[in-house]
Amino acid sequence: MEQLKHECGVAMIRLLKPIEYYEQKYGTWRYGLNKLYLMMEKEHNRGQEGAGIACVKLDTEPGHEYMFRERAEGKDAIGQIFAKDTSQFRGELYMGHLRYSTTGKSGLSYVHPFLRRNNWKAKNLCLCGNFNMTNIDEIFEKLTRQGQCPRIYSDSYMMLELMGHRLDREVERNFIAAQAMELENTDITRYIEDHVKMSNVLKTTMANYDGGYVVCGMTGSGEMFSMRDPWGIRPAFYYMNDEIAVLASERPVLQTTFDLECDDIKELEPGTALIVKRNGACSIEQILPQKGNSACSFERIYFSRGNDRDIYKERKRLGEQLVQPVLKAIDGDTKNTVFSFIPNTAEVAFYGMVDGFDERVRSEKVVWKDIKLRTFITEDNSRNDLASHVYDITYESIRAGIDNLVVIDDSIVRGTTLKESIFRILDRLHPKKIVMVSSAPQVRYPDYYGIDMPRLEEFCAFRAAIELLKEQGHHEIIDNTYRQCLEELKKPTSAMVNCVRNIYEPFTVEEINEKIVEMLRPEDMETPIELVYQSIEGLHNAVPDHRGDWYFTGHFPTPGGTKLCLKAYVNYIEKYYQFEEKF
């Protein structure tokens, strides 16, 4: 599979006892900082473009810093951060972030956490998150209407400013209450810090957002929180005892870091927040009503670490359910078929597929992932040739001209790697037939909730459907869909319908598969190729609790997702057909 840039990773730790407790029990004040490092390394799969950490120190005296942040860019960002002098990070509240850009924007200013400063501790706000918001234009308009002037047009900075604005109001509410009680000076400050309700801030901020998110934050006065979107799109898991409250994007991260059993850890429910007050009181609060059950299924297929108990079983089931269509593709000839997989994320699905046969089948490690080739040192016209060598094969692992070769991948999205590399190198083995299997269904629609695939033309399934419509003379479907999208975009966002789904209606999955093969087959390749994709029903059977399947079905969980999909089709038509006659 072509590597997708996707969801970021978050990690939070709140020490619930004085630092001296951890020094005595664990031999170092760095207990929390060391655990943060481990959590971030265990989530390194979720972000390799940058990383950042933040810390809050409680009960500092005026004139001394109490809120610290460190950020770095690149794959070794975690190492860069923790290699520095971290003595300033002696505190009780910790937050870490791993970044993958889903917007194409880069630079240290885009690396989380983000920090909003103020001379009042309670008004200082630090945020990080795993999120993409689909209504950033509406949020920008809301902020400017309030009189604010955001310095950067990004969902992260706008969330910081919007939430910071609501935090200011919450502090001021308590300021007024303290004055009414005739408190003065630092007594007012203490009252505010003891009575700030982050649930109020979250309710008045997050109700404005459309998208998938896990947002984490802390204030200078010691409030800490993490909230999950009401559709449950992005994942978050937490654990609490009398020493710590911790949260991470993946369950095994907490299991390994804190030596926990799977059932010790809870999943943060949609629309809820883990809130830890300044005094260490922990609670789970419903911030927004749950709006759906759209947990991302791609998390289970590809993004999350496969050592999670449930994800491992689900990936095996995904492979097992492909046995019948694979048998059909090889005409039942398991005797003369070798089974293999594309490393490394498809390995578990491969085990499930092999286990699903009633007999013992032949399996080999046919494909190897080679080193990352430094294609930037070559001229542009040489890069594709180098890219074709990213994978290698085990020579003579099959009988040339006799054996079929079945290779499973976790998903087939763009098809670029198949065309430029996989098919070419597999052909060197001279199999009788190549059956390329995807443990995920056809990816047909963009994602706007954290995965870097926003354009329709990127998907080989979409390109294949468009080519079939042209070949069969159905230009009116392409044209009518364009006009329907324009009409839908005139409606209120909540009323929009995803008419891009019309593009696929005339065709079966098999017809689109055949066209994909035709488009991706290298010109000089003669070996027969067949594609086998997971069915939507198979996906839901294997991953029953993660119903978010919009990239496969076009059923977006939020109105903003539907709107952006309609815009993507309009942009595609206007980009690629602007100089042609209108069908």
Side-chain angles (χ1 to χ4, degrees):
M1 168 180 172
E2 307 89 352
Q3 184 179 3
L4 297 175
K5 296 177 182 178
H6 54 91
E7 294 91 358
C8 300
V10 296
M12 284 177 48
I13 302 176
R14 173 62 156 92
L15 303 182
L16 301 178
K17 294 182 180 294
I19 293 178
E20 292 73 23
Y21 170 89
Y22 304 92
E23 286 183 300
Q24 182 175 355
K25 182 172 182 178
Y26 299 105
T28 176
W29 68 262
R30 296 178 183 269
Y31 171 80
L33 189 62
N34 290 344
K35 292 299 186 182
L36 182 70
Y37 170 75
L38 286 174
M39 291 170 71
M40 292 177 69
E41 283 290 6
K42 294 297 179 182
E43 287 191 328
H44 211 159
N45 58 300
R46 302 188 71 87
Q48 299 185 27
E49 292 184 6
I53 65 172
C55 169
V56 170
K57 185 182 299 185
L58 298 176
D59 301 323
T60 58
E61 294 296 323
H64 294 81
E65 184 58 83
Y66 51 87
M67 204 167 195
F68 306 89
R69 178 183 62 167
E70 190 69 58
R71 299 179 294 176
E73 289 187 277
K75 291 183 178 181
D76 64 340
I78 301 174
Q80 291 180 48
I81 291 170
F82 285 92
K84 296 179 180 180
D85 179 11
T86 54
S87 58
Q88 61 182 338
F89 288 90
R90 180 187 172 99
E92 292 86 0
L93 288 75
Y94 292 100
M95 191 164 68
H97 186 266
L98 286 304
R99 181 177 191 259
Y100 258 128
S101 168
T102 59
T103 62
K105 296 177 180 177
S106 60
L108 198 61
S109 63
Y110 290 100
V111 177
H112 302 210
F114 298 103
L115 190 55
R116 188 176 191 260
R117 289 291 201 177
N118 194 283
N119 266 356
W120 289 71
K121 281 186 179 181
K123 286 188 175 183
N124 282 265
L125 178 63
C126 191
L127 284 184
C128 71
N130 170 17
F131 55 79
N132 255 35
M133 303 304 181
T134 66
N135 63 337
I136 184 173
D137 51 345
E138 297 171 18
I139 299 299
F140 184 81
E141 182 182 343
K142 180 180 179 67
L143 286 173
T144 54
R145 220 175 28 241
Q146 291 176 169
Q148 295 193 54
C149 186
R151 294 179 294 112
I152 298 176
Y153 191 88
S154 77
D155 51 7
S156 303
Y157 269 96
M158 288 187 209
M159 181 181 293
L160 181 69
E161 293 304 326
L162 182 58
M163 190 174 293
H165 173 73
R166 299 314 310 172
L167 180 60
D168 289 348
R169 301 290 84 79
E170 174 66 13
V171 170
E172 288 156 14
R173 179 184 71 82
N174 283 287
F175 179 82
I176 294 170
Q179 280 189 322
M181 298 169 62
E182 299 184 351
L183 298 178
E184 295 181 349
N185 302 324
T186 56
D187 289 338
I188 292 180
T189 301
R190 282 191 289 271
Y191 179 89
I192 291 172
E193 294 180 354
D194 289 341
H195 291 84
V196 163
K197 291 187 66 174
M198 287 309 301
S199 57
N200 289 343
V201 177
L202 292 173
K203 286 174 182 176
T204 53
T205 301
M206 303 314 297
N208 295 283
Y209 281 100
D210 179 302
Y213 56 83
V214 171
V215 179
C216 301
M218 52 192 187
T219 70
S221 59
E223 303 293 315
M224 179 177 259
F225 65 89
S226 180
M227 179 181 171
R228 188 181 185 190
D229 67 83
W231 300 274
I233 296 171
R234 298 272 69 85
F237 298 86
Y238 69 92
Y239 170 77
M240 295 183 289
N241 62 17
D242 63 341
E243 291 186 359
I244 53 171
V246 294
L247 179 138
S249 295
E250 298 184 28
R251 183 167 56 185
V253 171
L254 298 181
Q255 286 185 254
T256 303
T257 302
F258 297 96
D259 192 20
L260 301 171
E261 297 297 327
C262 187
D263 292 334
D264 294 335
I265 298 164
K266 307 297 182 184
E267 185 170 6
L268 194 63
E269 295 298 321
T272 67
L274 165 63
I275 296 177
V276 186
K277 289 191 64 60
R278 181 177 179 277
N279 62 7
C282 303
S283 63
I284 301 295
E285 299 189 34
Q286 192 76 43
I287 304 300
L288 298 175
Q290 182 172 346
K291 297 183 180 180
N293 178 17
S294 299
C296 175
S297 57
F298 242 129
E299 283 279 352
R300 320 300 281 186
I301 298 167
Y302 171 65
F303 294 139
S304 294
R305 293 165 63 94
N307 62 330
D308 181 276
R309 177 192 66 186
D310 295 336
I311 291 176
Y312 186 83
K313 293 176 182 177
E314 290 165 5
R315 289 182 183 175
K316 286 197 72 174
R317 284 200 296 268
L318 285 168
E320 184 179 351
Q321 291 181 154
L322 289 161
V323 168
Q324 291 307 313
V326 167
L327 279 172
K328 182 180 178 182
I330 61 174
D331 295 322
D333 187 11
T334 55
K335 181 180 178 181
N336 297 305
T337 300
V338 171
F339 296 85
S340 192
F341 61 94
I342 302 291
N344 290 318
T345 52
E347 185 174 2
V348 178
F350 166 75
Y351 294 144
M353 180 176 67
V354 170
D355 289 349
F357 287 97
D358 293 331
E359 58 189 302
R360 184 176 180 181
V361 296
R362 295 166 57 201
S363 62
E364 302 285 354
K365 187 168 183 178
V366 173
V367 183
W368 297 78
K369 184 74 176 287
D370 215 334
I371 61 171
K372 290 282 186 183
L373 297 171
R374 297 185 178 274
T375 56
F376 63 83
I377 64 174
T378 69
E379 298 177 359
D380 288 346
N381 57 6
S382 302
R383 289 179 182 170
N384 284 348
D385 180 60
L386 280 178
S388 69
H389 293 84
V390 169
Y391 291 92
D392 209 340
I393 51 169
T394 304
Y395 287 94
E396 299 186 21
S397 54
I398 72 171
R399 295 174 295 174
I402 299 174
D403 289 332
N404 300 308
L405 178 57
V406 175
V407 180
I408 188 170
D409 200 350
D410 45 57
S411 58
I412 300 170
V413 182
R414 302 181 179 100
T416 309
T417 305
L418 290 181
K419 184 178 179 67
E420 295 180 357
S421 180
I422 298 294
F423 284 157
R424 289 184 183 278
I425 65 166
L426 294 182
D427 194 41
R428 295 176 189 171
L429 295 170
H430 308 295
K432 180 180 178 182
K433 181 181 184 180
I434 295 172
V435 179
M436 196 72 212
V437 184
S438 170
S439 68
Q442 290 176 352
V443 178
R444 297 181 169 190
Y445 304 92
D447 179 82
Y448 302 106
Y449 306 116
I451 307 172
D452 184 23
M453 46 183 194
R455 294 176 295 278
L456 282 162
E457 60 267 29
E458 293 185 332
F459 310 123
C460 58
F462 177 79
R463 299 197 304 271
I466 291 290
E467 288 302 312
L468 286 170
L469 289 171
K470 291 179 183 177
E471 289 175 4
Q472 297 181 14
H474 293 310
H475 294 285
E476 78 283 354
I477 294 179
I478 300 174
D479 190 21
N480 290 341
T481 301
Y482 171 67
R483 299 182 191 283
Q484 289 171 15
C485 286
L486 291 175
E487 290 302 311
E488 289 295 323
L489 287 168
K490 294 177 183 177
K491 299 178 180 178
T493 304
S494 60
M496 292 178 187
V497 175
N498 185 14
C499 52
V500 181
R501 300 178 73 240
N502 298 342
I503 294 298
Y504 298 97
E505 284 300 320
F507 311 115
T508 64
V509 170
E510 290 71 26
E511 287 174 313
I512 294 176
N513 285 351
E514 290 174 7
K515 176 52 67 173
I516 292 174
V517 169
E518 183 182 320
M519 293 166 58
L520 300 183
R521 174 195 295 277
E523 292 181 5
D524 56 348
M525 183 174 176
E526 296 182 358
T527 304
I529 302 173
E530 184 169 343
L531 286 182
V532 172
Y533 275 94
Q534 183 73 252
S535 67
I536 298 297
E537 296 75 20
L539 170 70
H540 290 161
N541 287 335
V543 190
D545 297 327
H546 289 69
R547 309 296 287 187
D549 61 5
W550 54 92
Y551 13 70
F552 309 126
T553 64
H555 295 302
F556 288 87
T558 77
T562 299
K563 178 180 179 179
L564 292 181
C565 186
L566 296 171
K567 284 186 174 181
Y569 187 79
V570 169
N571 292 340
Y572 167 76
I573 293 297
E574 293 179 351
K575 178 178 180 180
Y576 291 98
Y577 292 93
Q578 57 184 331
F579 299 116
E580 296 185 13
E581 292 184 12
K582 285 293 180 184
F583 316 116

